[in-house]
Amino acid sequence: MVAACSSGGQQPAPPENSQGSGTGGQTAEQPAPSDEPQQLVIYTGRDKNIFELVIPKFNDKYPNIEVETLEMGAQQILERVRAEKANPQADFWWGGTQSALSTAANEGLLEAYKPTFADQIPDLYKDPQDRWYGEMLLPEVIMYNKDAMSREEAPQDWDDLLDPKYKDKIVIRNVLPSGTMRTIYSAMIYRQGPDTPEKGYEWLMKLDANTKEYTQDPTNLYLKLDRQEGLISLWNLQDVLIQGLKNNHPYDFIYPESGAPILVDGVAIIKGAKNPDAAKKFMEFLMSPEMAAELAKERFQFPSRTDIGKDQLPDIMRNLELKPLELDWDVMAEKEMEWMQYWDENIKGKAQK
């Protein structure tokens, strides 16, 4: 559904002294406030509790901009933006995986724009042609119901998930519509050897044998875990922390011993957007140091900006070492569709029969 979001508390503006040169005719000078009525249509893969914190503050700063959001998975956003290429219906993409955004950039679906904060984002977390920027880092972890299972009883690493003792204790959010799940499953194939995906498929077949159910969306995933219809899942760390510490669900996490896929969750302006000025304003606001620090404290969001000090992060984030799983993200982007299609057609639900 499309929902117009209301206004909320005041948020300080990003620094005014950060400027640079643009790409493809786009300037990096921060867009100036305007009293003229504007619209901004956002396709977002972010959870509702994220954009309900950000958008009211943006509306306070820019009350003349009417914001509409349409929520869907990262892969669904890519498919929709692709289908609407000739007549874009959205201005801004908020919440896309590195793979999905890179694919969109290579297909000419994203506008090049170098923002004022460009130099604060490491090269690893942005497009070299300024077509997308990473907003945050999203480690993928093992999630479990701490009321039904102790930390010691939970799987400590990826391969532990294949242990027969976890049969019918694992519930998984449906993979194909979810950028998070596509990344995790693709990473599991890659770590077995990207040149021999058959080994990865065999690994996922064993995981399927232990998987009790694939849920339609995150809401149903949380419901199954709460009811202890499943005790273990694979999910992104931010949502585990939000659901466990903010929303009082009985969830905790294991950071896999061998490392985790650290997904770059990013933003982009859609090429041919009808409201590019509003989209630039939103990007600058969302990625400001003040907003990044608030999202870290209130929503456990690991910022991609290098100028956010540890003192601005919550304790659980200050003391956690983000050990990455060694992955080639270009290979992941190239192979993901092929790998996930094979999983969907040949593995999903097959080992359970």
Coordinates of all heavy atoms in Angstrom, one line a residue, residues 167-258:
K167 N 16.8 -30.1 13.0 CA 15.8 -30.4 12.0 C 14.4 -29.9 12.5 O 14.1 -30.1 13.7 CB 15.7 -31.9 11.7 CG 14.7 -32.3 10.6 CD 14.7 -33.7 10.3 CE 13.6 -34.1 9.3 NZ 13.7 -33.3 8.0
D168 N 13.7 -29.2 11.7 CA 12.4 -28.6 12.0 C 12.4 -27.5 13.1 O 11.4 -27.1 13.6 CB 11.4 -29.7 12.4 CG 11.0 -30.6 11.2 OD1 11.1 -30.2 10.1 OD2 10.6 -31.8 11.5
K169 N 13.6 -27.0 13.4 CA 13.8 -25.9 14.3 C 14.1 -24.6 13.6 O 14.2 -23.6 14.2 CB 14.8 -26.2 15.4 CG 14.5 -27.3 16.3 CD 15.6 -27.5 17.4 CE 15.1 -28.5 18.5 NZ 14.8 -29.8 18.0
I170 N 14.2 -24.7 12.3 CA 14.6 -23.5 11.5 C 13.5 -23.0 10.7 O 12.8 -23.8 10.0 CB 15.8 -23.9 10.6 CG1 17.0 -24.3 11.4 CG2 16.2 -22.7 9.7 CD1 18.2 -24.8 10.5
V171 N 13.2 -21.7 10.7 CA 12.2 -21.1 9.9 C 12.9 -20.0 9.1 O 13.7 -19.3 9.7 CB 11.0 -20.5 10.6 CG1 10.1 -21.7 11.1 CG2 11.4 -19.7 11.8
I172 N 12.6 -19.8 7.8 CA 13.3 -18.9 7.0 C 12.3 -18.0 6.3 O 11.2 -18.4 5.8 CB 14.1 -19.7 5.9 CG1 15.1 -20.6 6.5 CG2 14.7 -18.7 4.9 CD1 16.3 -19.8 7.2
R173 N 12.6 -16.7 6.2 CA 11.8 -15.8 5.5 C 11.9 -16.1 4.0 O 13.0 -16.4 3.5 CB 12.3 -14.3 5.7 CG 11.4 -13.2 5.1 CD 11.9 -12.7 3.8 NE 11.4 -11.4 3.5 CZ 10.4 -11.2 2.6 NH1 9.9 -12.2 1.9 NH2 10.0 -10.0 2.3
N174 N 10.8 -16.1 3.2 CA 10.9 -16.5 1.8 C 12.0 -15.8 1.1 O 12.2 -14.5 1.2 CB 9.5 -16.1 1.2 CG 9.4 -16.8 -0.2 OD1 10.1 -17.7 -0.5 ND2 8.5 -16.2 -1.0
V175 N 12.8 -16.5 0.4 CA 14.1 -16.0 0.0 C 14.0 -15.0 -1.2 O 14.6 -14.0 -1.2 CB 15.1 -17.2 -0.4 CG1 16.4 -16.7 -1.0 CG2 15.3 -18.0 0.9
L176 N 13.3 -15.4 -2.3 CA 13.4 -14.6 -3.5 C 13.0 -13.2 -3.4 O 13.7 -12.3 -4.0 CB 12.6 -15.3 -4.6 CG 13.4 -16.2 -5.6 CD1 14.2 -17.3 -4.8 CD2 12.6 -16.8 -6.7
P177 N 12.0 -12.8 -2.6 CA 11.6 -11.4 -2.5 C 12.5 -10.5 -1.6 O 12.4 -9.3 -1.6 CB 10.2 -11.4 -2.0 CG 9.7 -12.8 -2.0 CD 11.0 -13.6 -1.9
S178 N 13.4 -11.2 -0.9 CA 14.2 -10.5 0.2 C 15.6 -10.3 -0.2 O 16.3 -11.3 -0.5 CB 14.1 -11.3 1.5 OG 15.0 -10.9 2.4
G179 N 16.1 -9.1 -0.2 CA 17.5 -8.8 -0.5 C 18.4 -9.4 0.6 O 19.5 -10.0 0.3
T180 N 17.9 -9.4 1.8 CA 18.7 -10.0 2.9 C 18.9 -11.5 2.7 O 20.0 -12.0 2.8 CB 18.0 -9.8 4.3 OG1 18.1 -8.4 4.6 CG2 18.6 -10.6 5.4
M181 N 17.8 -12.2 2.4 CA 17.9 -13.7 2.3 C 18.6 -14.1 1.0 O 19.4 -15.0 1.0 CB 16.5 -14.3 2.3 CG 15.8 -14.2 3.6 SD 16.8 -14.7 5.1 CE 17.3 -16.3 4.5
R182 N 18.5 -13.3 -0.1 CA 19.2 -13.6 -1.3 C 20.7 -13.5 -1.1 O 21.5 -14.3 -1.6 CB 18.7 -12.7 -2.4 CG 17.3 -13.0 -2.9 CD 16.9 -11.9 -3.9 NE 17.5 -12.0 -5.2 CZ 16.9 -12.6 -6.2 NH1 15.6 -13.1 -6.1 NH2 17.5 -12.7 -7.4
T183 N 21.1 -12.5 -0.3 CA 22.5 -12.3 0.0 C 23.0 -13.4 0.9 O 24.1 -14.0 0.6 CB 22.7 -11.0 0.8 OG1 22.3 -9.9 -0.1 CG2 24.1 -10.8 1.2
I184 N 22.3 -13.8 1.9 CA 22.8 -14.9 2.8 C 22.9 -16.2 1.9 O 23.9 -16.9 2.0 CB 21.8 -15.1 3.9 CG1 21.8 -13.9 4.9 CG2 22.2 -16.4 4.7 CD1 20.8 -14.0 6.0
Y185 N 21.9 -16.6 1.2 CA 21.9 -17.8 0.4 C 23.0 -17.8 -0.7 O 23.7 -18.8 -0.9 CB 20.5 -18.1 -0.2 CG 19.6 -18.9 0.8 CD1 19.6 -18.5 2.1 CD2 18.9 -20.0 0.4 CE1 18.8 -19.2 3.0 CE2 18.1 -20.7 1.3 CZ 18.0 -20.3 2.6 OH 17.3 -21.0 3.5
S186 N 23.2 -16.6 -1.3 CA 24.2 -16.5 -2.3 C 25.6 -16.7 -1.7 O 26.5 -17.3 -2.2 CB 24.1 -15.2 -3.1 OG 22.9 -15.2 -3.8
A187 N 25.7 -16.1 -0.5 CA 27.0 -16.2 0.2 C 27.3 -17.6 0.6 O 28.5 -18.0 0.6 CB 27.0 -15.3 1.5
M188 N 26.3 -18.4 1.0 CA 26.5 -19.8 1.3 C 27.0 -20.6 0.1 O 27.8 -21.5 0.3 CB 25.2 -20.4 1.9 CG 24.7 -19.8 3.2 SD 26.0 -19.9 4.6 CE 26.6 -18.2 4.6
I189 N 26.5 -20.2 -1.1 CA 26.9 -20.9 -2.3 C 28.4 -20.5 -2.6 O 29.3 -21.3 -2.8 CB 26.0 -20.6 -3.5 CG1 24.6 -21.2 -3.3 CG2 26.6 -21.1 -4.8 CD1 23.6 -20.8 -4.3
Y190 N 28.6 -19.2 -2.5 CA 30.0 -18.6 -2.8 C 31.1 -19.3 -1.9 O 32.1 -19.6 -2.3 CB 30.0 -17.1 -2.6 CG 31.3 -16.5 -3.0 CD1 31.5 -16.0 -4.3 CD2 32.4 -16.4 -2.1 CE1 32.7 -15.4 -4.7 CE2 33.6 -15.9 -2.5 CZ 33.7 -15.4 -3.8 OH 34.9 -14.8 -4.1
R191 N 30.7 -19.4 -0.6 CA 31.8 -19.9 0.3 C 32.1 -21.4 0.1 O 33.2 -21.8 0.5 CB 31.3 -19.7 1.8 CG 30.1 -20.5 2.2 CD 29.6 -20.0 3.6 NE 30.4 -20.5 4.7 CZ 30.2 -21.6 5.4 NH1 29.2 -22.4 5.0 NH2 31.0 -22.0 6.3
Q192 N 31.3 -22.1 -0.6 CA 31.6 -23.5 -1.0 C 32.4 -23.5 -2.3 O 32.9 -24.5 -2.7 CB 30.3 -24.3 -1.2 CG 29.4 -24.3 0.0 CD 30.1 -25.0 1.2 OE1 30.8 -26.0 1.0 NE2 29.9 -24.5 2.4
G193 N 32.5 -22.3 -3.0 CA 33.3 -22.2 -4.2 C 32.4 -21.7 -5.3 O 31.5 -22.4 -5.8
P194 N 32.6 -20.4 -5.8 CA 31.7 -19.8 -6.8 C 31.8 -20.5 -8.1 O 30.9 -20.4 -8.9 CB 32.2 -18.4 -6.9 CG 33.6 -18.4 -6.3 CD 33.6 -19.5 -5.3
D195 N 33.0 -21.2 -8.4 CA 33.1 -21.9 -9.7 C 32.5 -23.3 -9.7 O 32.4 -23.9 -10.7 CB 34.6 -22.0 -10.0 CG 35.3 -20.6 -10.2 OD1 34.6 -19.7 -10.7 OD2 36.5 -20.5 -9.9
T196 N 32.1 -23.7 -8.5 CA 31.5 -25.0 -8.4 C 30.2 -24.9 -7.6 O 30.1 -25.3 -6.4 CB 32.4 -26.1 -7.7 OG1 32.9 -25.5 -6.5 CG2 33.6 -26.4 -8.6
P197 N 29.2 -24.2 -8.1 CA 28.0 -23.9 -7.3 C 27.2 -25.2 -6.9 O 26.4 -25.1 -5.9 CB 27.1 -23.1 -8.3 CG 27.6 -23.4 -9.6 CD 29.1 -23.7 -9.5
E198 N 27.6 -26.3 -7.5 CA 26.9 -27.6 -7.1 C 27.2 -27.9 -5.6 O 26.3 -28.4 -5.0 CB 27.4 -28.7 -8.0 CG 27.0 -28.6 -9.5 CD 27.9 -27.6 -10.2 OE1 29.0 -27.2 -9.7 OE2 27.5 -27.3 -11.3
K199 N 28.4 -27.5 -5.2 CA 28.7 -27.8 -3.7 C 27.8 -26.9 -2.9 O 27.4 -27.3 -1.8 CB 30.2 -27.5 -3.5 CG 31.1 -28.5 -4.2 CD 32.6 -28.1 -3.9 CE 33.5 -29.1 -4.5 NZ 35.0 -28.7 -4.3
G200 N 27.6 -25.6 -3.3 CA 26.7 -24.7 -2.6 C 25.3 -25.2 -2.6 O 24.6 -25.1 -1.6
Y201 N 24.9 -25.7 -3.8 CA 23.5 -26.2 -3.8 C 23.3 -27.4 -2.9 O 22.3 -27.6 -2.2 CB 23.2 -26.7 -5.3 CG 23.2 -25.6 -6.3 CD1 23.5 -25.9 -7.6 CD2 22.9 -24.3 -6.0 CE1 23.6 -24.9 -8.6 CE2 23.0 -23.3 -6.9 CZ 23.3 -23.6 -8.3 OH 23.3 -22.6 -9.2
E202 N 24.3 -28.3 -2.8 CA 24.3 -29.4 -1.9 C 24.1 -28.9 -0.4 O 23.4 -29.5 0.4 CB 25.5 -30.3 -2.0 CG 25.5 -31.5 -1.2 CD 26.8 -32.3 -1.3 OE1 27.6 -32.1 -2.3 OE2 27.0 -33.2 -0.5
W203 N 24.9 -27.8 -0.1 CA 24.8 -27.3 1.2 C 23.4 -26.8 1.5 O 22.8 -27.0 2.6 CB 25.8 -26.1 1.4 CG 26.1 -25.7 2.8 CD1 27.1 -26.0 3.6 CD2 25.3 -24.7 3.5 NE1 27.0 -25.4 4.8 CE2 25.9 -24.5 4.8 CE3 24.2 -24.0 3.2 CZ2 25.4 -23.7 5.8 CZ3 23.7 -23.1 4.2 CH2 24.3 -23.0 5.5
L204 N 22.8 -26.0 0.6 CA 21.5 -25.5 0.7 C 20.4 -26.6 0.8 O 19.4 -26.4 1.5 CB 21.2 -24.5 -0.4 CG 21.9 -23.2 -0.3 CD1 21.6 -22.3 -1.5 CD2 21.7 -22.4 1.0
M205 N 20.7 -27.7 0.1 CA 19.8 -28.8 0.2 C 19.7 -29.4 1.6 O 18.7 -29.7 2.2 CB 20.2 -29.9 -0.8 CG 19.2 -31.1 -0.9 SD 17.6 -30.7 -1.5 CE 17.9 -30.7 -3.3
K206 N 20.9 -29.4 2.3 CA 21.0 -29.9 3.6 C 20.3 -28.9 4.6 O 19.6 -29.3 5.6 CB 22.4 -30.1 4.0 CG 23.1 -31.3 3.3 CD 24.6 -31.4 3.7 CE 25.3 -32.5 2.9 NZ 26.7 -32.6 3.2
L207 N 20.4 -27.6 4.3 CA 19.7 -26.6 5.1 C 18.2 -26.8 4.9 O 17.5 -26.7 5.9 CB 20.2 -25.2 4.7 CG 19.5 -24.1 5.5 CD1 19.8 -24.2 7.0 CD2 20.0 -22.7 4.9
D208 N 17.8 -27.0 3.7 CA 16.4 -27.2 3.4 C 15.8 -28.4 4.2 O 14.7 -28.3 4.7 CB 16.2 -27.4 1.9 CG 14.7 -27.5 1.5 OD1 14.0 -26.5 1.5 OD2 14.3 -28.7 1.3
A209 N 16.6 -29.4 4.4 CA 16.2 -30.6 5.1 C 15.9 -30.2 6.6 O 15.0 -30.9 7.2 CB 17.2 -31.7 5.0
N210 N 16.6 -29.2 7.1 CA 16.4 -28.8 8.5 C 15.3 -27.7 8.6 O 15.0 -27.3 9.7 CB 17.7 -28.4 9.1 CG 18.5 -29.6 9.6 OD1 18.1 -30.7 9.5 ND2 19.7 -29.3 10.1
T211 N 14.9 -27.1 7.5 CA 14.0 -26.0 7.5 C 12.6 -26.5 7.6 O 12.1 -27.2 6.7 CB 14.2 -25.1 6.3 OG1 15.6 -24.7 6.2 CG2 13.3 -23.9 6.3
K212 N 11.9 -26.0 8.6 CA 10.5 -26.4 8.8 C 9.5 -25.6 7.9 O 8.6 -26.2 7.3 CB 10.1 -26.1 10.3 CG 8.6 -26.5 10.6 CD 8.3 -26.3 12.1 CE 6.9 -26.8 12.4 NZ 6.6 -26.6 13.8
E213 N 9.8 -24.3 7.6 CA 8.9 -23.5 6.9 C 9.6 -22.3 6.3 O 10.5 -21.8 6.9 CB 7.7 -23.1 7.7 CG 6.6 -22.4 7.0 CD 5.4 -22.1 7.9 OE1 5.4 -22.6 9.1 OE2 4.6 -21.3 7.5
Y214 N 9.1 -21.8 5.1 CA 9.5 -20.6 4.6 C 8.3 -19.6 4.7 O 7.3 -19.8 4.2 CB 9.9 -20.7 3.1 CG 11.1 -21.6 2.9 CD1 10.9 -23.0 2.6 CD2 12.4 -21.1 2.9 CE1 12.0 -23.8 2.4 CE2 13.5 -22.0 2.8 CZ 13.3 -23.3 2.5 OH 14.3 -24.2 2.3
T215 N 8.5 -18.5 5.5 CA 7.4 -17.6 5.7 C 7.3 -16.6 4.6 O 8.3 -16.2 4.0 CB 7.6 -16.9 7.1 OG1 8.6 -16.0 7.0 CG2 7.9 -17.9 8.2
Q216 N 6.1 -16.0 4.5 CA 5.8 -15.1 3.4 C 6.6 -13.8 3.6 O 7.0 -13.2 2.6 CB 4.3 -14.8 3.4 CG 3.9 -13.8 2.3 CD 2.4 -13.6 2.3 OE1 1.6 -14.2 3.0 NE2 1.9 -12.7 1.4
D217 N 6.7 -13.3 4.8 CA 7.3 -12.0 5.1 C 7.9 -12.0 6.5 O 7.7 -12.9 7.3 CB 6.3 -10.9 4.9 CG 5.0 -11.1 5.7 OD1 5.1 -11.7 6.8 OD2 3.9 -10.8 5.2
P218 N 8.6 -10.9 6.9 CA 9.2 -10.8 8.2 C 8.1 -10.9 9.4 O 8.4 -11.5 10.4 CB 9.9 -9.4 8.3 CG 10.2 -9.2 6.8 CD 9.0 -9.7 6.1
T219 N 7.0 -10.3 9.2 CA 5.9 -10.4 10.2 C 5.6 -11.8 10.6 O 5.5 -12.2 11.7 CB 4.7 -9.7 9.8 OG1 5.0 -8.3 9.5 CG2 3.6 -9.7 10.8
N220 N 5.4 -12.7 9.6 CA 5.1 -14.1 9.8 C 6.3 -14.8 10.4 O 6.1 -15.8 11.2 CB 4.6 -14.7 8.5 CG 3.2 -14.4 8.2 OD1 2.3 -14.8 8.9 ND2 3.0 -13.6 7.1
L221 N 7.5 -14.4 10.0 CA 8.7 -15.0 10.5 C 8.7 -14.8 12.1 O 9.0 -15.7 12.8 CB 9.9 -14.4 9.9 CG 11.3 -14.8 10.5 CD1 11.5 -16.3 10.3 CD2 12.4 -14.0 9.9
Y222 N 8.5 -13.5 12.5 CA 8.5 -13.2 13.9 C 7.4 -14.0 14.6 O 7.6 -14.4 15.8 CB 8.3 -11.7 14.1 CG 9.3 -10.8 13.4 CD1 9.0 -9.6 13.0 CD2 10.7 -11.3 13.2 CE1 9.9 -8.7 12.3 CE2 11.6 -10.5 12.5 CZ 11.2 -9.2 12.1 OH 12.1 -8.4 11.5
L223 N 6.3 -14.1 14.0 CA 5.1 -14.8 14.6 C 5.5 -16.3 14.9 O 5.3 -16.8 16.0 CB 3.9 -14.7 13.7 CG 2.6 -15.3 14.3 CD1 2.2 -14.5 15.5 CD2 1.5 -15.2 13.2
K224 N 6.2 -16.9 13.9 CA 6.6 -18.3 14.1 C 7.6 -18.5 15.2 O 7.5 -19.4 16.0 CB 7.1 -18.9 12.8 CG 6.2 -18.9 11.6 CD 5.1 -19.9 11.8 CE 4.2 -19.9 10.5 NZ 3.1 -20.9 10.7
L225 N 8.5 -17.5 15.3 CA 9.6 -17.6 16.3 C 9.0 -17.3 17.7 O 9.3 -18.0 18.7 CB 10.7 -16.6 16.0 CG 11.6 -16.9 14.8 CD1 12.5 -15.7 14.5 CD2 12.4 -18.2 15.1
D226 N 8.0 -16.4 17.8 CA 7.4 -16.1 19.0 C 6.6 -17.3 19.6 O 6.6 -17.6 20.8 CB 6.4 -14.9 18.9 CG 7.2 -13.6 18.7 OD1 8.4 -13.5 18.9 OD2 6.5 -12.6 18.3
R227 N 6.0 -18.0 18.7 CA 5.1 -19.2 19.1 C 6.0 -20.4 19.2 O 5.5 -21.5 19.5 CB 4.1 -19.4 18.0 CG 3.0 -18.3 17.9 CD 2.1 -18.6 16.7 NE 0.9 -17.7 16.7 CZ 0.0 -17.7 15.7 NH1 0.1 -18.5 14.7 NH2 -1.0 -16.8 15.7
Q228 N 7.3 -20.3 19.0 CA 8.2 -21.4 19.0 C 7.9 -22.5 18.1 O 8.1 -23.7 18.3 CB 8.3 -21.9 20.5 CG 8.9 -20.9 21.5 CD 9.1 -21.4 22.9 OE1 9.2 -22.6 23.1 NE2 9.2 -20.5 23.8
E229 N 7.2 -22.1 17.0 CA 7.0 -23.0 15.9 C 8.3 -23.3 15.1 O 8.4 -24.2 14.3 CB 5.9 -22.5 15.0 CG 4.5 -22.5 15.6 CD 3.5 -21.8 14.8 OE1 3.7 -21.7 13.5 OE2 2.4 -21.4 15.3
G230 N 9.2 -22.4 15.3 CA 10.6 -22.5 14.9 C 11.5 -21.7 15.9 O 11.0 -20.8 16.6
L231 N 12.7 -22.2 16.1 CA 13.5 -21.5 17.1 C 14.7 -20.8 16.5 O 15.3 -19.9 17.2 CB 14.1 -22.6 18.1 CG 13.1 -23.6 18.7 CD1 13.8 -24.5 19.7 CD2 12.0 -22.8 19.4
I232 N 15.0 -21.0 15.3 CA 16.2 -20.5 14.7 C 15.9 -19.9 13.3 O 15.0 -20.4 12.6 CB 17.3 -21.6 14.5 CG1 17.7 -22.2 15.8 CG2 18.6 -21.0 13.8 CD1 18.4 -23.5 15.7
S233 N 16.6 -18.8 13.0 CA 16.4 -18.2 11.6 C 17.7 -17.6 11.2 O 18.7 -17.5 12.0 CB 15.3 -17.2 11.5 OG 15.0 -16.9 10.2
L234 N 17.8 -17.1 10.0 CA 18.9 -16.3 9.5 C 18.4 -15.0 9.1 O 17.4 -14.9 8.3 CB 19.5 -17.0 8.2 CG 19.8 -18.5 8.3 CD1 20.4 -19.0 7.0 CD2 20.8 -18.7 9.5
W235 N 19.0 -13.9 9.6 CA 18.4 -12.6 9.4 C 19.4 -11.5 9.6 O 20.6 -11.8 10.0 CB 17.2 -12.4 10.4 CG 16.2 -11.4 10.1 CD1 15.8 -10.4 10.9 CD2 15.5 -11.2 8.8 NE1 14.8 -9.6 10.2 CE2 14.6 -10.1 9.0 CE3 15.5 -11.9 7.6 CZ2 13.8 -9.7 7.9 CZ3 14.7 -11.5 6.6 CH2 13.8 -10.4 6.8
N236 N 19.1 -10.3 9.3 CA 20.0 -9.2 9.5 C 20.1 -8.7 10.9 O 19.1 -8.7 11.6 CB 19.7 -8.0 8.5 CG 18.5 -7.3 8.9 OD1 18.5 -6.5 9.8 ND2 17.4 -7.5 8.1
L237 N 21.3 -8.3 11.4 CA 21.5 -8.0 12.8 C 20.7 -6.8 13.2 O 20.2 -6.8 14.4 CB 23.0 -7.7 13.0 CG 23.5 -7.3 14.4 CD1 23.0 -8.3 15.4 CD2 25.0 -7.1 14.4
Q238 N 20.5 -5.8 12.4 CA 19.8 -4.6 12.8 C 18.4 -5.0 13.2 O 17.9 -4.6 14.3 CB 19.7 -3.6 11.7 CG 19.0 -2.3 12.1 CD 18.7 -1.4 11.0 OE1 18.6 -1.8 9.8 NE2 18.5 -0.1 11.3
D239 N 17.7 -5.8 12.4 CA 16.3 -6.2 12.8 C 16.2 -7.1 14.0 O 15.3 -7.0 14.8 CB 15.6 -6.8 11.6 CG 15.1 -5.8 10.5 OD1 15.1 -4.6 10.8 OD2 14.7 -6.3 9.4
V240 N 17.2 -7.9 14.2 CA 17.3 -8.8 15.4 C 17.4 -7.9 16.6 O 16.6 -8.1 17.6 CB 18.5 -9.7 15.3 CG1 18.5 -10.5 16.6 CG2 18.4 -10.7 14.1
L241 N 18.2 -6.9 16.6 CA 18.4 -6.0 17.7 C 17.1 -5.1 17.9 O 16.7 -5.0 19.1 CB 19.6 -5.1 17.5 CG 20.9 -5.7 17.5 CD1 22.0 -4.8 17.1 CD2 21.2 -6.4 18.8
I242 N 16.5 -4.6 16.9 CA 15.3 -3.9 17.0 C 14.2 -4.7 17.6 O 13.5 -4.3 18.6 CB 14.8 -3.3 15.7 CG1 15.8 -2.2 15.2 CG2 13.4 -2.7 15.7 CD1 15.5 -1.7 13.8
Q243 N 14.0 -5.9 17.1 CA 12.9 -6.7 17.5 C 13.1 -7.2 19.0 O 12.2 -7.3 19.8 CB 12.7 -7.9 16.6 CG 12.3 -7.6 15.2 CD 11.0 -6.7 15.1 OE1 10.1 -6.9 15.9 NE2 11.0 -5.8 14.1
G244 N 14.4 -7.5 19.3 CA 14.7 -8.0 20.6 C 14.8 -6.9 21.7 O 14.3 -7.1 22.8
L245 N 15.4 -5.8 21.4 CA 15.6 -4.7 22.4 C 14.6 -3.6 22.4 O 14.4 -3.0 23.4 CB 17.0 -4.1 22.2 CG 18.2 -5.1 22.3 CD1 19.5 -4.4 22.0 CD2 18.2 -5.8 23.7
K246 N 14.0 -3.4 21.3 CA 13.0 -2.3 21.2 C 11.5 -2.9 21.2 O 10.7 -2.2 21.8 CB 13.1 -1.5 19.9 CG 14.4 -0.7 19.8 CD 14.3 0.6 20.6 CE 15.5 1.5 20.5 NZ 15.4 2.7 21.3
N247 N 11.3 -4.0 20.6 CA 9.9 -4.5 20.5 C 9.6 -5.7 21.4 O 8.6 -6.3 21.2 CB 9.6 -4.9 19.0 CG 9.7 -3.6 18.1 OD1 9.6 -2.5 18.5 ND2 9.9 -3.9 16.8
N248 N 10.6 -6.0 22.2 CA 10.4 -7.0 23.3 C 10.1 -8.4 22.8 O 9.4 -9.2 23.5 CB 9.3 -6.6 24.2 CG 9.6 -5.3 24.9 OD1 10.7 -5.1 25.4 ND2 8.6 -4.4 24.9
H249 N 10.6 -8.8 21.6 CA 10.6 -10.2 21.2 C 11.7 -10.9 21.8 O 12.8 -10.3 22.1 CB 10.7 -10.2 19.7 CG 9.5 -9.7 18.9 ND1 8.4 -10.5 18.7 CD2 9.2 -8.5 18.4 CE1 7.5 -9.8 18.0 NE2 8.0 -8.6 17.8
P250 N 11.6 -12.2 22.1 CA 12.6 -13.0 22.8 C 13.8 -13.4 21.8 O 14.1 -14.6 21.8 CB 11.8 -14.2 23.3 CG 10.8 -14.4 22.3 CD 10.4 -13.1 21.8
Y251 N 14.4 -12.5 21.1 CA 15.4 -12.8 20.1 C 16.8 -12.4 20.6 O 17.0 -11.4 21.2 CB 15.1 -12.1 18.8 CG 13.7 -12.3 18.3 CD1 13.2 -11.4 17.3 CD2 12.9 -13.4 18.6 CE1 11.9 -11.6 16.8 CE2 11.7 -13.6 18.1 CZ 11.1 -12.7 17.2 OH 9.9 -12.8 16.7
D252 N 17.7 -13.2 20.2 CA 19.1 -12.9 20.4 C 19.9 -13.4 19.1 O 19.2 -14.0 18.3 CB 19.7 -13.5 21.6 CG 21.0 -12.8 22.2 OD1 21.5 -11.9 21.4 OD2 21.4 -13.0 23.3
F253 N 21.2 -13.2 19.0 CA 21.9 -13.5 17.8 C 23.2 -14.2 18.1 O 23.8 -14.0 19.2 CB 22.1 -12.3 16.9 CG 23.1 -11.3 17.5 CD1 24.4 -11.4 17.0 CD2 22.7 -10.3 18.4 CE1 25.4 -10.5 17.5 CE2 23.7 -9.5 18.9 CZ 25.0 -9.5 18.5
I254 N 23.7 -14.9 17.2 CA 25.0 -15.5 17.2 C 25.7 -14.9 15.9 O 25.3 -15.0 14.8 CB 25.1 -17.0 17.0 CG1 24.3 -17.7 18.2 CG2 26.5 -17.5 16.9 CD1 25.0 -17.5 19.6
Y255 N 26.9 -14.2 16.2 CA 27.7 -13.7 15.1 C 28.6 -14.9 14.7 O 29.4 -15.3 15.4 CB 28.5 -12.5 15.5 CG 29.1 -11.7 14.3 CD1 28.4 -10.5 13.9 CD2 30.2 -12.2 13.6 CE1 28.9 -9.8 12.8 CE2 30.6 -11.4 12.5 CZ 30.0 -10.3 12.1 OH 30.4 -9.6 11.0
P256 N 28.4 -15.4 13.4 CA 29.1 -16.7 13.0 C 30.6 -16.6 13.2 O 31.2 -15.5 12.9 CB 28.7 -16.8 11.6 CG 27.4 -16.1 11.5 CD 27.5 -14.9 12.4
E257 N 31.2 -17.6 13.7 CA 32.6 -17.6 14.0 C 33.5 -17.4 12.8 O 34.5 -16.8 12.9 CB 33.0 -19.0 14.7 CG 32.3 -19.2 16.1 CD 32.6 -20.6 16.6 OE1 33.1 -21.4 15.8 OE2 32.3 -20.8 17.8
S258 N 33.0 -17.9 11.7 CA 33.8 -17.8 10.4 C 33.6 -16.4 9.7 O 34.3 -16.1 8.8 CB 33.5 -18.9 9.5 OG 32.1 -18.9 9.1

